[in-house]
Amino acid sequence: MSEPLRIALAGLGTVGGGVIRLIEANADLIARRAGRPIVITTVSARNRDKDRGFDVSRYAWEDDMVILGERPDVDVVVELVGGADGPALALARTTFEAGKALVTANKAMIAHHGVELATKAEAAKVALKFEAAVAGGIPVIKGLKEGVAANEIARVYGILNGTCNYILSTMEDTGRDFADVLAEAQAKGYAEADPTFDIDGIDAAHKLSILSSIAFGTAVDFKPVAATGIRRVLAADIAQADVLGYYIRLIGMAETEMDAAGNRRLFQRVHPHLVHRDHPLAHVDGATNAVVAEGNFVGRLLFQGAGAGDGPTASAVVADLIDIARGDIGAPFSIPVAELERAAPAETGHRRGKAYIRFNVADRPGVLAEITAAMRDAGVSIESFIQKGGQDDAPVMVSMVTHEGPESAIAEALRLLDGSPVLAEPPLVMHILGE
Amino acid sequence: MSEPLRIALAGLGTVGGGVIRLIEANADLIARRAGRPIVITTVSARNRDKDRGFDVSRYAWEDDMVILGERPDVDVVVELVGGADGPALALARTTFEAGKALVTANKAMIAHHGVELATKAEAAKVALKFEAAVAGGIPVIKGLKEGVAANEIARVYGILNGTCNYILSTMEDTGRDFADVLAEAQAKGYAEADPTFDIDGIDAAHKLSILSSIAFGTAVDFKPVAATGIRRVLAADIAQADVLGYYIRLIGMAETEMDAAGNRRLFQRVHPHLVHRDHPLAHVDGATNAVVAEGNFVGRLLFQGAGAGDGPTASAVVADLIDIARGDIGAPFSIPVAELERAAPAETGHRRGKAYIRFNVADRPGVLAEITAAMRDAGVSIESFIQKGGQDDAPVMVSMVTHEGPESAIAEALRLLDGSPVLAEPPLVMHILGE
């Protein structure tokens, strides 16, 4: 086992630089733990001459990254290019065709093409590993695939996007509004110039679809994930939640349930939630990620750590490489891809819970009567209700927390109010995270 | 890979029952994830006829548990007998001599004999796994060995004893004193009839020595672990800490450092700490365990979950069995036992930090002057100082938080006060957990 494991690196951005730094800094320790050295032999990126702040001249350069896996001096390709399709996907396919293993941090590609790629990897009897695709440095893929392998998982959920959590917890600490904090996060490099994938929940949805596949043994299925981001959360919502004992967090949640016909259905949703102060996710601040898994014997487990950044992401990439160096191929989604269940998306109307609903309304007589009548007619029972006066002619904020009830009742109440002239904008609904 | 993995179970107490229930309840799922069925063929315990509340008649019974590994119908022995020596150790030795793998939940045995047993397991080229020995169902051994394998670990620490955490958080919630809460915990079965190992920190010290070996690549070395338990923590200390923004938790902590001669030294200590409200460990309540590992690339990771109980412990035992069924032998301590470093224990006097010191003093003139003079003479700088009047002739409680400084200075101050008639009992020192 003293033959080195030879790596090709595709993509030399921040994470690629992190992988190079890590493999160099911790080389001895890695060789000891892996049983053999892990060495980078070849690198590839779009632009050879770009100044990256780190030296890649000691590695062979390959202009055409798609053929990296075909090189005889490469055992494993590390894909850090990103994007669900394009060169990343082409590279993954040619790598498996060449009979080589692939390690990737590419959540979009795994969420969209995970089943196809796992099929190809298993056919070639090589590893496909993607610990870095979910929750950065936190070994949650390994935790689900191996650590809780003895358990039927009832539910997996968590804080899966560091940018959103940074924005929400900064809004919380400073009382500032979303747009303001987002602009600052962009200036500091914590948020992308185009932040859509992060703040609209799509990045979290990618990760959630991967987690739920591994937790439940279902084929990864990104399309049905209902994703709402944090654009519409106001500083006033956060202040209101605080009064009630809650923090607001963007939560990705997945569960399975049986439908009336006895078929297993998959529920996957990314949505801002009110999280009670006593729940461990309430205290996850800044760019941190955290994942909770609930197993039928282990109970509730929490994994928490840095969800992004070059160091943590490189840590996850190299952990996968060490597993491969040790001879662990494994099934990419824990069980063979042919055995993954194709579960239809679950209905949501019958899901029961408490919710926070916030209305911005015109300040005129009869507004409260109209809202409360709609709630009554839809069968929504209200636990607490707060109206905060607007100044002058500004809209007034009315927020409420419902008693536990079906989601369909809230949808019906909002339908009854739809188009009402008293609403200055559509109401915002946030679910309250249950025990 | 369709041959079943055949298990012998030694010890049929609570955890043994949990393992049986789990393997039966989740048999299909385990077979799918492990690639083959895991079946119990043989069981053994001290008393065959005891009513255990579960049926073991379908398994072969072996009277002499020490020879379980020699049976031809056994691939892996699961040792759930407990105790550092005695039958557990004899069983472990004969199992490796017979060339069979061992899975154990026995922290005391691994803490005391881990190096010997790992040597025997490696020589026999079989697995020795002990996920269940540390932090119950939390996959923290796997997390350290594999999840953060790419990192140099700077520090590993956490809440390692559920009984102590239950007692401390109940004292916190109810304002009741230690003895009272302990008695209740014993009545409820949360604490043993003889609670010494738990409340004096020995159980946590066993677990800490195992964690530090894996984190740092050092030979497991239990003897030098300095362990102080929670017997002397008062409800008044908890109330005082709360005023200052802290919770009290029993923390096991391990670090390595270089001594003046350039040799690596190992620091291992179990001690009640003040944990700031903003630290994730502050919110770990009840019988929960939590482990923090700090890596040079991944940053700070937290693993949290149930630290004991039959379900969580069985979850960890069967996760080890699934790894073995998948063909993972691995080195018991992550790197081959021959490469484990023998690190001498670190000195502690130069360790810098803040501390909480509580005195019970006689209520008479000059007491504060004597205490503060000792602090001044030892070079201990005081950040906050609170005296709470006792009633009538009861001793008065004086508590203080020091500025950051070396531990040797506090030791010197206490030496100066040693034997002073103003002290009703020896002072209690608790360290404050740093960032």
Side-chain angles (χ1 to χ4, degrees), chain B residues 228-262:
Chain B
T228 311
I230 61 167
R231 278 183 205 268
R232 295 194 56 216
V233 177
L234 301 175
D237 292 315
I238 290 175
Q240 197 50 60
D242 185 54
V243 170
L244 299 166
Y246 296 97
Y247 294 91
I248 297 177
R249 293 287 179 267
L250 183 69
I251 302 286
M253 175 170 299
E255 279 180 324
T256 58
E257 59 174 46
M258 290 296 167
D259 66 14

Side-chain angles (χ1 to χ4, degrees), chain A residues 155 157 246 251 253 255 269 273-276 278-281 292 294 300 351-355 404 407 430-435:
Chain A
R155 194 153 84 128
Y157 62 100
Y246 296 97
I251 302 286
M253 176 169 301
E255 280 178 323
R269 177 158 69 190
H273 279 65
L274 268 64
V275 180
H276 193 271
D278 288 342
H279 195 287
L281 292 184
V292 175
E294 293 174 358
R300 182 198 277 177
R351 290 181 64 84
R352 295 182 63 82
K354 296 167 76 166
E404 187 175 302
E407 295 186 3
M430 293 190 275
H431 301 287
I432 296 184
L433 186 66
E435 275 310 286

Side-chain angles (χ1 to χ4, degrees), chain B residues 220-309:
Chain B
V220 59
D221 195 10
F222 165 70
K223 279 199 209 79
V225 184
T228 311
I230 61 167
R231 278 183 205 268
R232 295 194 56 216
V233 177
L234 301 175
D237 292 315
I238 290 175
Q240 197 50 60
D242 185 54
V243 170
L244 299 166
Y246 296 97
Y247 294 91
I248 297 177
R249 293 287 179 267
L250 183 69
I251 302 286
M253 175 170 299
E255 279 180 324
T256 58
E257 59 174 46
M258 290 296 167
D259 66 14
N263 295 313
R264 203 154 71 123
R265 298 273 196 139
L266 182 57
F267 169 79
Q268 302 181 95
R269 179 159 68 190
V270 174
H271 202 90
H273 278 67
L274 269 63
V275 180
H276 193 271
R277 246 181 226 136
D278 289 343
H279 195 289
L281 292 185
H283 302 282
V284 177
D285 292 326
T288 307
N289 280 195
V291 178
V292 176
E294 293 174 359
N296 65 340
F297 278 78
V298 77
R300 182 199 278 175
L301 280 182
L302 171 76
F303 302 85
Q304 182 175 325

Side-chain angles (χ1 to χ4, degrees), chain B residues 44-64:
Chain B
S44 181
R46 232 161 309 182
N47 181 350
R48 181 170 188 165
D49 301 320
K50 187 174 170 185
D51 179 14
R52 302 187 159 85
F54 53 89
D55 179 23
V56 295
S57 66
R58 81 201 79 176
Y59 313 119
W61 180 272
E62 178 61 65
D63 278 320
D64 180 7

Side-chain angles (χ1 to χ4, degrees), chain B residues 68-142:
Chain B
L68 279 171
E70 294 165 16
R71 289 176 62 106
D73 61 353
V74 169
D75 302 311
V76 185
V77 172
V78 174
E79 183 277 303
L80 302 171
V81 182
D85 303 280
L89 184 61
L91 171 61
R93 287 173 175 155
T94 55
T95 299
F96 297 133
E97 277 156 25
K100 305 292 173 69
L102 186 83
V103 170
T104 177
N106 190 333
K107 56 218 80 166
M109 181 175 76
I110 299 299
H112 284 278
H113 304 290
V115 171
E116 179 208 318
L117 295 178
T119 306
K120 290 193 159 73
E122 290 180 17
K125 294 190 167 55
V126 296
L128 162 60
K129 290 186 181 280
F130 43 81
E131 183 66 80
V134 181
I138 310 171
V140 64
I141 300 278
K142 180 175 281 286

